[in-house]
Amino acid sequence: MSRNATQENANIFGLLIEFAADHGSAIPVGERRIFLDEDEYKIFVKSKRIKRFPIARRQAAVLLQVGDEQVIVVSGFESESFRSSQYIREIELSPGVAVAAIHDLGVRPMASALDVYNVVAAGSSVDDEYKGHALRDVKDLYPRIGVVEVDAEVAGEDHFHANLLILCAEEGTNGNGWINEGLADALIRLAEQRIDGFPYEFLVMASLEINPKSLFLALYRCLEATYAFKRSSELVERLGLMDKSWLDVAQALGDSLSWYPRHDQSLAAVLSMPAVDSVDLKELAESLGKDPDGDDVSARVAAGIRDLRNSLVHYGPTTRSVAVPDDDWNRLCIPLARVVGDVFAHTYGARLQ
């Protein structure tokens, strides 16, 4: 179904008029639209919103179908460009896509109420020679809009948050963030693994947070999702339930017996998996101030991660504060992101081979 261009233009200008009014500037009534030539108008009305991801008042992302292609459009990202990755690349924002994005992103203007008034009140259908507002004038009222095209093999809602994580990693490095290049590379690698069942949405939001603790906790939550793997897999083998996955068994145990894996033992078991690179484990130990050599390094790392997690999420008279050496959260999160990707891919499997 094509877009209703009249209604969507009315929505765009209606919100701008409301914004100006809320700040004391009343704009005269009148029908308004953004001018597009015939070809761009067709692109606009035939485009389709697939998924919207709100982030903040002036930040959002939207997945659009444009002809035979899909694009992700983001607003409010300070990074001036996005590097190409395995499946996505930045392209020029066409006028038709820009109008669709202004409508679908639903972000607030960054311009002042006076600037909004000067642009919107400059013309309307009551003027005899009115053909529409210039796209540039309207677009400049909003935060910067960027667009990337998505390869067909990673198109659709199922891959949306993984694709978006790539852009957020870039924003955390080149925009208003704390993420360094090494951590951005680790997050992009994780996104490109396309792991089944992986909660990419957790990392999207956490990577945009100013507080690095949010990303650490999001990565920890991903590890928690693999805690039942070892015990459930052992039970599958012992009972000969070869037609059942470890996830089926873990869910049945939880539903029937209220069973859940012990966190202290399970994290150490996860870190002992052959999928975990010994170099990453050693880097984790060093980033936590633990001995990286000798036996039981996985147990020491597990204890360090658990102590840090508990100190961040619990508060009470017996809670012990745990600090990251040199407050270097990049040094901690880089190997943790790699471990999370390897463990999750080992337990859940990858979407793309």
Side-chain angles (χ1 to χ4, degrees), residues 330-351:
N330 280 285
R331 187 186 182 199
L332 170 61
C333 289
I334 289 171
L336 184 57
R338 293 198 296 256
V339 167
V340 164
D342 292 340
V343 167
F344 226 99
H346 177 70
T347 55
Y348 284 79
R351 295 178 191 170

Side-chain angles (χ1 to χ4, degrees), residues 172-213:
T173 302
N174 299 316
N176 184 28
W178 59 275
I179 293 173
N180 67 16
E181 291 284 351
L183 181 51
D185 289 342
L187 292 173
I188 290 171
R189 173 182 179 268
L190 186 55
E192 291 181 341
Q193 284 179 271
R194 309 290 160 158
I195 306 167
D196 276 338
F198 193 89
Y200 285 108
E201 185 175 352
F202 292 172
L203 300 189
V204 166
M205 292 302 296
S207 63
L208 294 173
E209 291 279 353
I210 297 299
N211 188 343
K213 298 171 186 176

Side-chain angles (χ1 to χ4, degrees), residues 264-309:
D264 52 350
Q265 296 175 351
S266 298
L267 181 54
V270 166
L271 296 176
S272 298
M273 288 181 182
V276 176
D277 192 305
S278 60
V279 173
D280 292 334
L281 199 60
K282 181 176 180 179
E283 290 183 8
L284 274 174
E286 292 172 341
S287 70
L288 292 163
K290 303 292 183 181
D291 182 4
D293 301 313
D295 298 330
D296 297 329
V297 63
S298 59
R300 291 195 294 276
V301 170
I305 290 175
R306 285 281 296 162
D307 288 345
L308 178 58
R309 179 263 183 191

